């Protein structure tokens, strides 16, 4: 599977080391509260499971699912809720955990939705940030790595549901997909 990568951006060791730092920062920042940590499925499941094991304060975990790129590498611009939270957002300090911030459409929609439901605060933790592609001014409060404008796979990120289980993250070789990114 690694043969399908043009290059590896971050190895498993590099990811784990940086996530440890971010987890420690989150533990300090939320020391006075019990945040609700929300993983945005499917892509965030790997990052969330690593991140929460570096958080040493009481937290609750829930998941939300939105529509994704499917088998394409282009965002449609529209967000659909596929799975909602199991518990109310009202009054909660929420940490949204996302795989990558690209145009900002998904997180803008989720943040607005949670604020409208009465969340006390909403912050964003993202494994990767692709600021060059931003259409909506979303800035993650916690970000592990800023990445170039390329289509990434691995560490939760897929192409046509493949590659999510790679422990590194890398750039997919363009000949693997036909769409322009
Ligand atoms: P946004 O709404 O910010 O445009 O896009 C967010 C979602 O698009 C991410 O959660 C992810 O599922 C998908 N996405 C954005 N960039 C990439 C990428 O480089 N690789 C993959 N596999 N998915 C991406």
């Amino acid at each position: 599977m690694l043969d399908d990568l043009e290059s590896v951006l971050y190895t498993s060791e590099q990811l784990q080391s940086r996530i440890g730092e971010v987890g420690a920062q989150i533990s300090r920042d939320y020391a006075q509260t019990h945040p609700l940590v929300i993983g945005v499925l499917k892509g965030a499941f790997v990052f969330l499971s690593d991140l929460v094991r570096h958080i040493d304060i009481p937290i609750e975990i829930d998941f939300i699912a939105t529509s994704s790129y499917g088998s394409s590498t282009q965002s449609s611009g529209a967000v659909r809720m596929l799975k909602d939270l199991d518990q109310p957002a009202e009054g909660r300090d929420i940490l949204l955990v996302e795989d990558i911030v690209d145009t900002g459409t998904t997180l803008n929609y989720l943040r607005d939705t949670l604020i409208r439901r009465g969340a006390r605060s909403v912050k964003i933790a993202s494994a990767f940030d692709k600021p060059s592609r931003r259409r909506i001014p979303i800035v993650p409060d916690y970000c592990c790595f800023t990445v170039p404008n390329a289509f990434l796979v691995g560490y939760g990120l897929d192409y046509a549901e493949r590659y999510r289980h790679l422990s590194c993250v890398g750039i997919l070789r363009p000949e693997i997909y036909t769409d322009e990114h």
Side-chain angles (χ1 to χ4, degrees), residues 108-171:
N108 184 55
Y109 165 81
L110 289 176
R111 192 177 59 181
D112 284 358
T113 302
L114 295 168
I115 288 171
R116 240 184 299 112
R117 290 181 186 178
R120 188 161 71 170
S121 67
V122 181
K123 285 190 179 185
I124 293 164
S126 188
F128 309 108
D129 186 14
K130 221 192 269 182
S132 58
R133 296 250 311 159
R134 204 72 95 248
R135 277 189 233 139
I136 300 173
I138 289 274
V139 180
D141 301 277
Y142 307 95
C143 170
C144 296
F145 296 101
T146 300
V147 295
N149 182 10
F151 191 74
L152 310 184
V153 293
Y155 202 68
L157 292 166
D158 76 311
Y159 172 64
E161 296 302 330
R162 291 160 56 198
Y163 307 105
R164 289 194 199 275
H165 64 296
L166 299 183
S167 56
C168 64
V169 69
I171 299 175

Side-chain angles (χ1 to χ4, degrees), residues 39-48 63-68 82 97-99 155-158 160-161 164:
V40 185
L41 295 172
K42 297 179 190 169
F45 82 102
V46 180
F47 176 47
L48 180 122
F63 292 95
I64 213 163
T66 56
S67 52
S68 74
L82 301 178
V97 177
E98 177 62 301
D99 49 7
Y155 202 68
L157 292 166
D158 76 311
E161 296 302 330
R164 289 194 199 275

Side-chain angles (χ1 to χ4, degrees), residues 65-104:
T66 56
S67 52
S68 74
Y69 286 141
S71 60
S72 163
T73 58
Q74 281 288 350
S75 172
S76 68
V79 182
R80 255 185 330 129
M81 183 89 81
L82 301 178
K83 183 223 170 284
D84 208 334
L85 294 176
D86 292 337
Q87 54 195 297
E90 193 178 351
R92 300 304 305 267
D93 291 305
I94 289 177
L95 181 64
L96 274 171
V97 177
E98 177 62 301
D99 49 7
I100 187 166
V101 190
D102 188 31
T103 64

